[in-house]
């Protein structure tokens, strides 16, 4: 059965936007986006479609058919142009690239950046460099080969906002105060702190990777379907990937003993906590009794 939808712009006019579009009730919402974008000769990722009846957002999905919505023949949908978009994968690659470029500069050019800096870095400076570089190399690997994004793109401006967080806080700020000859890392290593920190770091990084692999298995390539996450840590908190991420940065802080690392970690936790709470709310709403509710979303007993 076919239906004709009335199409109206939300906000500023969209050049080429059709007044109507015709689809089958069996078509999915992604096809609605594709057809409107094709008629308007624009990228479907720029568009946001809402129902005219109640303003409900209709996310582009291959898993939801039009017949599962309240859209019927002659229903009205509103289309908003979100502006220039950029892929999530590109944003992740660029933002993690910052620390991977900045830390080697400070580490290898220490004698030229700091006055009175010895030619050879200390043990703790070398270890800090290795831990931070490995962390962001893992992030890049996960971006390319592990993560499956529910949304194809985000606003272009986000690349500057997100990159500022990583390039400045975890890149420039941590690097400057880690490789300085007056930094705590310039002192001798204390095995009673360093070795437990290395162990905690490995637990954090491997646990984080495992959580991301568990989440990957919930969604097919290119799909938007959801499932109840299961695996190591998911019985304790909503987002064990955030829990293990926090452990890894705690370990890095134990090694470089820098306030700059604490600042980055606090800001990161401040960002992850509301995301984790939102994820818990979504899981409760979507899966009901099939989902075991969590009291803590990212740190057992604390957050």
């Amino acid at each position: 059965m076919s239906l004709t939808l009335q199409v109206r712009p939300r906000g500023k006019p969209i050049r080429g936007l059709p007044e109507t579009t015709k689809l089958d009730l069996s078509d999915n919402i992604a096809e609605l986006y594709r057809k409107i974008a094709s008629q308007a000769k624009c990228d479907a990722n720029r568009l946001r479609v809402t129902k005219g009846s109640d303003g409900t957002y209709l996310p582009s999905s291959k898993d939801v058919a039009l017949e599962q919505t309240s859209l019927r023949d002659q229903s009205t949908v509103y289309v908003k142009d979100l502006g220039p978009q950029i892929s999530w994968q590109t944003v992740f690659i660029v933002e993690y690239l910052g620390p991977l470029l900045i830390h080697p500069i400070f580490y290898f050019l220490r004698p030229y950046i700091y006055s009175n800096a010895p030619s050879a870095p200390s043990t703790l400076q070398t270890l800090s460099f290795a831990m931070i570089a490995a962390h962001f190399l893992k992030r890049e690997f996960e971006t390319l080969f592990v993560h499956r994004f529910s949304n194809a793109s985000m606003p272009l401006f986000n690349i500057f906002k997100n990159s500022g967080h990583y390039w400045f806080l975890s890149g420039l700020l941590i690097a400057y105060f880690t490789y300085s000859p007056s930094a705590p890392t310039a002192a001798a290593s204390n095995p009673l702190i360093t070795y437990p920190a290395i162990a905690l770091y490995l637990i954090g990084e491997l646990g984080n990777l495992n959580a991301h692999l568990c989440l990957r298995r919930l969604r097919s390539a290119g799909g938007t379907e959801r499932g109840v996450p299961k695996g190591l840590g998911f019985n304790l908190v909503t987002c064990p990937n955030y829990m293990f991420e926090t452990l890894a940065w705690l370990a890095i802080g134990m090694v470089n003993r820098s306030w700059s690392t604490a600042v980055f970690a606090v800001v990161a936790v401040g960002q992850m906590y509301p995301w984790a709470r939102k994820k818990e709310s979504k899981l409760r709403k979507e899966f009901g009794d099939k989902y075991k509710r969590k009291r803590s979303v990212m740190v057992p007993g604390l957050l």
Side-chain angles (χ1 to χ4, degrees), residues 12-13 18 64 72 78 88-89 100-101 105 109 137 148 175-176 180 192 244 250 264 287 303:
K12 63 181 181 180
V64 180
R72 296 296 179 262
Y78 284 91
W88 278 78
Q89 187 178 69
L100 289 173
L101 294 175
I105 291 173
L109 299 181
L137 283 171
R148 287 175 173 166
Y176 183 83
S180 168
L192 295 178
F244 288 118
L250 175 61
F264 173 77
F287 296 103
L303 298 174

Side-chain angles (χ1 to χ4, degrees), residues 75-98:
S75 290
T76 299
V77 294
Y78 284 91
V79 181
K80 182 176 182 179
D81 184 359
L82 299 175
Q85 300 286 296
I86 188 170
S87 74
W88 278 78
Q89 187 178 69
T90 299
V91 172
F92 278 25
I93 290 173
V94 171
E95 65 187 23
Y96 301 149
L97 185 62

Side-chain angles (χ1 to χ4, degrees), residues 128-139:
S128 296
F129 173 72
M131 294 169 80
I132 293 171
H135 174 80
F136 286 106
L137 283 171
K138 172 184 150 299
R139 285 282 192 92

Side-chain angles (χ1 to χ4, degrees), residues 94-116:
V94 171
E95 65 187 23
Y96 301 149
L97 185 62
L100 289 173
L101 294 175
I102 294 170
H103 279 266
I105 291 173
F106 277 86
Y107 179 77
F108 290 108
L109 299 181
R110 290 173 58 262
Y112 304 99
I113 296 174
Y114 306 100
S115 59
N116 302 319

Side-chain angles (χ1 to χ4, degrees), residues 20 51 67 81 115-116 132 134 140 192-193 205 213 285 297:
T20 62
K51 293 193 294 185
E67 61 187 352
D81 184 359
S115 59
N116 302 319
I132 293 171
E140 296 285 32
L192 295 178
I193 297 177
E205 293 293 347
L213 291 172
K285 182 178 180 180
V297 294

Side-chain angles (χ1 to χ4, degrees), residues 13 28 52 58 81 118-119 145-146 152 191 205 215 225 281 288:
N28 54 46
L58 295 171
D81 184 359
S119 58
F145 303 109
V146 178
E205 293 293 347
L215 293 171
E225 66 272 22
S281 297

Side-chain angles (χ1 to χ4, degrees), residues 1-295:
M1 180 178 177
S2 63
L3 75 163
T4 299
L5 297 177
Q6 301 294 319
V7 183
R8 301 289 182 268
R10 171 80 69 185
K12 63 181 181 180
I14 301 174
R15 181 179 298 178
L17 185 72
E19 293 186 357
T20 62
T21 189
K22 190 172 183 178
L23 300 105
D24 290 327
L25 272 174
S26 59
D27 287 337
N28 54 46
I29 300 179
E31 176 62 17
L32 169 63
Y33 274 80
R34 188 202 65 77
K35 195 155 190 179
I36 293 175
S38 176
Q39 291 173 290
K41 294 181 173 57
C42 68
D43 182 0
N45 292 317
R46 290 180 63 127
L47 305 180
R48 177 185 173 90
V49 179
T50 55
K51 293 193 294 185
S53 57
D54 57 9
T56 302
Y57 169 48
L58 295 171
S60 179
S61 172
K62 296 179 180 179
D63 304 318
V64 180
L66 292 176
E67 61 187 352
Q68 295 175 262
T69 72
S70 60
L71 293 175
R72 296 296 179 262
D73 190 45
Q74 299 304 317
S75 290
T76 299
V77 294
Y78 284 91
V79 181
K80 182 176 182 179
D81 184 359
L82 299 175
Q85 300 286 296
I86 188 170
S87 74
W88 278 78
Q89 187 178 69
T90 299
V91 172
F92 278 25
I93 290 173
V94 171
E95 65 187 23
Y96 301 149
L97 185 62
L100 289 173
L101 294 175
I102 294 170
H103 279 266
I105 291 173
F106 277 86
Y107 179 77
F108 290 108
L109 299 181
R110 290 173 58 262
Y112 304 99
I113 296 174
Y114 306 100
S115 59
N116 302 319
S119 58
S122 70
T123 299
L124 290 180
Q125 287 172 337
T126 298
L127 183 57
S128 296
F129 173 72
M131 294 169 80
I132 293 171
H135 174 80
F136 286 106
L137 283 171
K138 172 184 150 299
R139 285 282 192 92
E140 296 285 32
F141 171 82
E142 291 172 334
T143 298
L144 292 171
F145 303 109
V146 178
H147 293 320
R148 287 175 173 166
F149 302 100
S150 57
N151 295 317
S153 64
M154 65 171 74
L156 179 62
F157 173 75
N158 283 19
I159 194 171
F160 303 104
K161 180 179 66 175
N162 292 23
S163 295
H165 170 72
Y166 285 100
W167 284 61
F168 177 71
L169 288 183
S170 62
L172 186 61
L173 188 68
I174 292 180
Y176 183 83
F177 289 102
T178 293
Y179 308 117
S180 168
S182 60
T185 47
S189 171
N190 182 344
L192 295 178
I193 297 177
T194 302
Y195 290 128
I198 293 173
L200 186 64
Y201 174 81
L202 292 175
I203 292 171
E205 293 293 347
L206 293 176
N208 179 263
L209 174 60
N210 178 72
H212 287 155
L213 291 172
C214 290
L215 293 171
R216 172 187 169 85
R217 290 192 284 268
L218 295 176
R219 178 175 295 151
S220 60
T224 57
E225 66 272 22
R226 302 177 187 275
V228 177
K230 296 179 181 179
L232 180 66
F234 285 100
N235 61 321
L236 296 175
V237 295
T238 311
C239 299
N241 48 326
Y242 295 163
M243 175 181 71
F244 288 118
E245 173 90 0
T246 303
L247 290 179
W249 279 103
L250 175 61
I252 293 172
M254 291 170 64
V255 169
N256 73 5
R257 313 171 194 174
S258 174
W259 64 269
S260 60
T261 302
V263 168
F264 173 77
V266 168
V267 171
V269 170
Q271 290 180 326
M272 291 186 289
Y273 180 62
W275 294 343
R277 285 182 60 87
K278 186 176 180 180
K279 180 69 176 290
E280 174 69 15
S281 297
K282 283 186 176 180
L283 289 170
R284 292 183 182 187
K285 182 178 180 180
E286 187 168 353
F287 296 103
D289 294 337
K290 295 180 181 179
Y291 173 70
K292 181 182 177 182
R293 298 187 174 198
K294 308 297 190 305
R295 291 186 178 181

